[in-house]
Amino acid sequence: MKENALHVKHLVKPGAKIKLKEIDPGDTAPYQDKKEVEKLLKVDKEEITKLQELLYAEGKHALLVVIQAMDTVGKDGLIRHVMGGVNPQGCSVSSFKVPTAEELAHDYLWRIHQVTPPKRMIGIFNRSHYEDVLVVRVHGLVPKPVWRARYEQINAFEKHLTENGVTILKFFLHISKEEQKARLQARLDDSTKHWKFSVGDLKERELWDDYMAAYEDVLNLTSTPWAPWYLLPANHKWYRNLVAARVILETLRGFEMQWPVSQDDLTNVVIPD
Ligand code: AMP
Ligand code: MG
């Protein structure tokens, strides 16, 4: 397999019938060596940084990266490792928490649409509108017919965005239940990580199978030609980071951007002493 084909390997094909139990969260093929992969990531990050500057300068595209995962899988770590090099002026990160009273009084896409990236920007969603068919479904926060209708609504919303200049990439970070246990334990054992630990996360862990069923529906019903999901094996952070970087890089390359020319004629310009 070509080294740069990770973005093809982990794409969820529209209409797929993914069963998460059949997908190995420990997959790192064709790599085994963390150090080697970290070097590749460094090179990719440098190119992402350059292309992000071009994205900003050219001003024709917006890129939206949606990140979804169970707790402890490393949504924050992914953002730090893959996007850490880009100019903060061209990038925004939006984290979606339990909706406020005002947000709940609106339709669930209201708070999302307000922060979708404008042209020249990369927007990263740490959680997203998908919570409205994940936590909301698992906890029965709205009746089934209400969340059931949302897959189609989300596909239509994302189509609207892509037809208006926003390119959408969606990453589901897949870890095993055992790996989550190890990471929760590591947080518990380190007092500098306690701020990330919430007893509520253990309640969500008890609902693991319900969450996996909800994620399967998300992947199978909302990976579309215009807004595809990528299923990132995430037991190994270094591999997870490389796959994410590759997908972002291939997308930016695909924009075939050009440096804009100056509005002025610069041919005979001399800088005065
Ligand atoms: P964290 O990302 O750990 O800061 O936690 C944010 C919490 O907000 C998670 O438990 C999410 O499930 C929850 N959350 C995000 N969006 C929604 C939503 N639309 N409805 C209910 N809970 C949500
Ligand atoms: Mg949390």
Side-chain angles (χ1 to χ4, degrees), residues 64 113 116 156-168:
L64 171 60
H113 205 164
T116 53
F157 170 66
E158 292 178 348
K159 189 148 204 265
H160 166 82
L161 291 177
T162 53
E163 286 175 352
N164 289 280
V166 186
T167 296
I168 305 176

Side-chain angles (χ1 to χ4, degrees), residues 159-192:
K159 189 148 204 265
H160 166 82
L161 291 177
T162 53
E163 286 175 352
N164 289 280
V166 186
T167 296
I168 305 176
L169 302 171
K170 302 181 292 198
F171 294 155
F172 169 59
L173 318 183
H174 179 42
I175 63 165
S176 63
K177 201 176 174 190
E178 297 72 41
E179 178 66 19
Q180 192 202 38
K181 184 173 183 185
R183 292 191 192 181
L184 283 167
Q185 189 62 53
R187 281 186 183 180
L188 203 53
D189 295 343
D190 176 354
S191 64
T192 71

